[in-house]
Amino acid sequence: MWTCTFWSFIFLAPWEVSLNTRAEDITNGTKLQPVYNFGRNFLGLDKCNACIGTSLCNKLFKEEIRFENWLSADLKLPPSHRKTYFANYSVDTETWKAVVISRLQSNYQNELSDRKICLSAAKKIGCSIENVLRATERFQKWIAADRLTAELVQTLPSPLLRCPSQRLLDRIVRRYAEVRDSGSVLMRHFTDRDKLRLLYTLSVNTHPLVLQLFPGIEGWPFVRYFGSCGRLMVTPWTKPIKEFYNASPEDTADVAYQLLRITHLLGNNDLNYFMYYTSVHDNMFGIFEDERLYIIDTSTIGIIDKLEDKEFVHGKKDIFSCLTSDCKTDFAPCGNINEALSFTKVCRDLLPHLVVGKFTSSPIMQNQIDRYLGLCGDEMLSTKVVLEAAGSLIELLKSLRSCEPRFEYRYPECKYNKDY
């Protein structure tokens, strides 16, 4: 079990460097010796075990993860109402990587959820939310269970759990990184607090779990999950996709092509998990240093197991069903979901920012792109028409990409193989 020692005061040793060089070596500079009060409530440790986990707490307390302003003389924590923070992460205290520290939901949303928990048990605001959650009928079933089953996650609001197969649930337990000795589909090595943390994460936002289930190192288009501390988690820093809306035609063609290819991969992969978007937005995608596109927010991604025909499990809603919603949200049947729905959302909500009016030097090409974009983004058209239009867009955009060293993720392979 991950443990960490909570310090009331931390002696920081930041270095004088420019904040514009987040991930550069910060080993040279003038050492400062201020005293700083970290604050367990900022991290959300005061709410554990209604939290994500504690796997990165030691690194935070040992200054191996530093908020960006800790590299300057200003050692104040950033405002707690923010959902994301720029930071730096080190494995050896010599080299640093740019990362993002983020919350599953805003502090305001956390307060609303915590208030719901207390009210659900007729307790005063500020009650012990952990004690309330432990006493629920659902969690008592979790305590007695050795294996995660559909009954234990029924009516939870995440699209990940809309139609959960046993294969997917076993993968969640086997890949869960907030416990030691992961690898078994059984939860016998889980303590009660491990189970509560997993149930809380499944109820609030499954984003960190998707990153653990399908890591980028295995070829999935998701950023790496470094770990968590309290209600904060850490992932790599990427450039927001919106920064490319006004980029050169070569850049926007490459980003748009990757968007469509990733969408296709989510619906067609060797593990036979059909992944789809319930919605898409600017902050859902990011570009890494090598110009590769990643999904950086997986909270709106649903998963249906192609190998197990599993219908949505209906059941009685409880407080875990309502932490992030009004309890009135109902899911559409899984059989109504197909790959065309994901393409429609991308073509309608994101691609216009990247490809409309970008290729005016070739009016014929621009007209073709606009035509296929309109077909791909029309949810009233048949699945066949949408998929064919998306396929045509992929081929057009592929031909517009340039082969240059700045596209590190496919250079120099693109010089010798047109598939890159």
Side-chain angles (χ1 to χ4, degrees):
M1 180 67 204
W2 292 97
T3 59
C4 62
T5 304
F6 304 135
W7 298 351
S8 298
F9 293 88
I10 305 297
F11 290 87
L12 302 178
W15 307 91
E16 294 179 349
V17 297
S18 169
L19 297 185
N20 294 325
T21 56
R22 295 192 188 98
E24 293 184 6
D25 191 343
I26 60 171
T27 56
N28 296 318
T30 303
K31 196 170 185 178
L32 305 177
Q33 295 286 348
V35 176
Y36 185 76
N37 186 350
F38 202 99
R40 295 177 68 236
N41 60 342
F42 179 86
L43 297 173
L45 284 170
D46 57 324
K47 302 296 184 180
C48 278
N49 293 295
C51 62
I52 312 172
T54 56
S55 57
L56 279 188
C57 288
N58 278 335
K59 292 191 73 68
L60 272 167
F61 296 140
K62 289 162 60 178
E63 305 173 41
E64 292 174 357
I65 301 175
R66 300 179 180 181
F67 287 92
E68 187 176 53
N69 64 341
W70 289 6
L71 305 182
S72 70
D74 179 14
L75 293 176
K76 295 181 180 179
L77 278 173
S80 61
H81 67 266
R82 288 170 54 185
K83 192 176 177 181
T84 60
Y85 309 89
F86 292 124
N88 295 274
Y89 176 99
S90 177
V91 177
D92 54 12
T93 70
E94 294 293 331
T95 55
W96 296 79
K97 296 180 179 179
V99 296
V100 173
I101 299 177
S102 59
R103 305 179 189 277
L104 296 188
Q105 56 182 356
S106 68
N107 256 358
Y108 173 72
Q109 292 170 316
N110 278 330
E111 290 173 4
L112 290 181
S113 298
D114 294 346
R115 191 171 301 174
K116 285 182 181 180
I117 294 172
C118 293
L119 293 177
S120 71
K123 302 287 186 180
K124 292 182 178 180
I125 305 302
C127 72
S128 171
I129 60 175
E130 179 173 347
N131 288 343
V132 172
L133 294 178
R134 282 178 176 272
T136 60
E137 179 182 351
R138 186 193 296 262
F139 188 66
Q140 290 304 307
K141 291 180 180 178
W142 272 67
I143 292 177
D146 283 339
R147 194 174 190 184
L148 187 60
T149 62
E151 179 190 7
L152 298 179
V153 299
Q154 64 183 5
T155 73
L156 295 185
S158 170
L160 174 71
L161 303 170
R162 177 175 294 184
C163 300
S165 68
Q166 191 58 53
R167 187 169 72 111
L168 178 61
L169 296 175
D170 287 344
R171 190 177 181 88
I172 291 174
V173 173
R174 192 170 65 248
R175 294 291 184 100
Y176 187 47
E178 292 297 327
V179 296
R180 289 191 181 276
D181 304 322
S182 58
S184 171
V185 299
L186 299 179
M187 296 191 292
R188 291 171 183 167
H189 59 296
F190 280 44
T191 64
D192 289 356
R193 63 181 180 178
D194 293 332
K195 291 183 177 181
L196 183 56
R197 291 173 182 179
L198 177 56
L199 175 55
Y200 177 83
T201 307
L202 287 169
S203 305
V204 173
N205 189 331
T206 55
H207 172 51
L209 297 175
V210 174
L211 301 187
Q212 296 167 50
L213 291 174
F214 307 102
I217 195 172
E218 295 178 3
W220 297 97
F222 305 123
V223 291
R224 178 182 175 184
Y225 176 74
F226 285 110
S228 67
C229 184
R231 288 180 168 179
L232 296 176
M233 60 175 286
V234 180
T235 54
W237 175 83
T238 60
K239 291 178 287 187
I241 193 175
K242 65 179 67 174
E243 289 188 8
F244 291 80
Y245 286 172
N246 296 317
S248 67
E250 294 81 8
D251 287 332
T252 57
D254 188 75
V255 174
Y257 172 81
Q258 290 190 73
L259 267 174
L260 292 172
R261 285 294 301 168
I262 282 176
T263 303
H264 175 73
L265 169 67
L266 294 182
N268 301 271
N269 52 75
D270 292 340
L271 292 186
N272 285 302
Y273 286 114
F274 174 69
M275 305 183 195
Y276 60 93
Y277 309 132
T278 58
S279 65
V280 295
H281 52 84
D282 288 334
N283 297 325
M284 187 172 173
F285 301 89
I287 312 294
F288 202 56
E289 295 172 341
D290 63 356
E291 301 301 318
R292 187 187 300 272
L293 181 75
Y294 285 91
I295 298 176
I296 59 176
D297 179 3
T298 65
S299 59
T300 61
I301 289 182
I303 301 179
I304 296 176
D305 193 337
K306 293 181 179 181
L307 298 184
E308 295 184 26
D309 186 17
K310 192 69 178 179
E311 291 301 319
F312 179 68
V313 180
H314 297 277
K316 183 178 69 174
K317 292 185 178 181
D318 61 3
I319 184 58
F320 291 101
S321 312
C322 310
L323 291 180
T324 59
S325 68
D326 57 6
C327 287
K328 298 178 181 179
T329 303
D330 289 316
F331 293 129
C334 297
N336 295 348
I337 300 169
N338 58 63
E339 187 180 359
L341 296 178
S342 291
F343 278 115
T344 298
K345 290 177 173 59
V346 170
C347 291
R348 182 189 63 206
D349 300 333
L350 292 180
L351 287 191
H353 301 293
L354 292 165
V355 300
V356 171
K358 287 291 185 180
F359 310 99
T360 53
S361 60
S362 176
I364 295 178
M365 177 65 75
Q366 185 67 68
N367 288 338
Q368 286 182 307
I369 289 175
D370 293 344
R371 176 174 175 271
Y372 289 128
L373 186 63
L375 294 173
C376 177
D378 190 341
E379 61 184 9
M380 301 303 293
L381 297 178
S382 68
T383 296
K384 181 176 183 294
V385 172
V386 172
L387 293 182
E388 287 179 350
S392 297
L393 265 180
I394 289 175
E395 292 305 314
L396 287 176
L397 293 169
K398 183 178 180 179
S399 68
L400 292 170
R401 299 187 305 162
S402 62
C403 182
E404 301 175 35
R406 59 195 175 97
F407 297 106
E408 294 180 26
Y409 80 95
R410 57 183 176 87
Y411 186 89
E413 288 84 354
C414 57
K415 293 174 61 177
Y416 314 107
N417 189 335
K418 64 180 181 179
D419 289 335
Y420 285 92

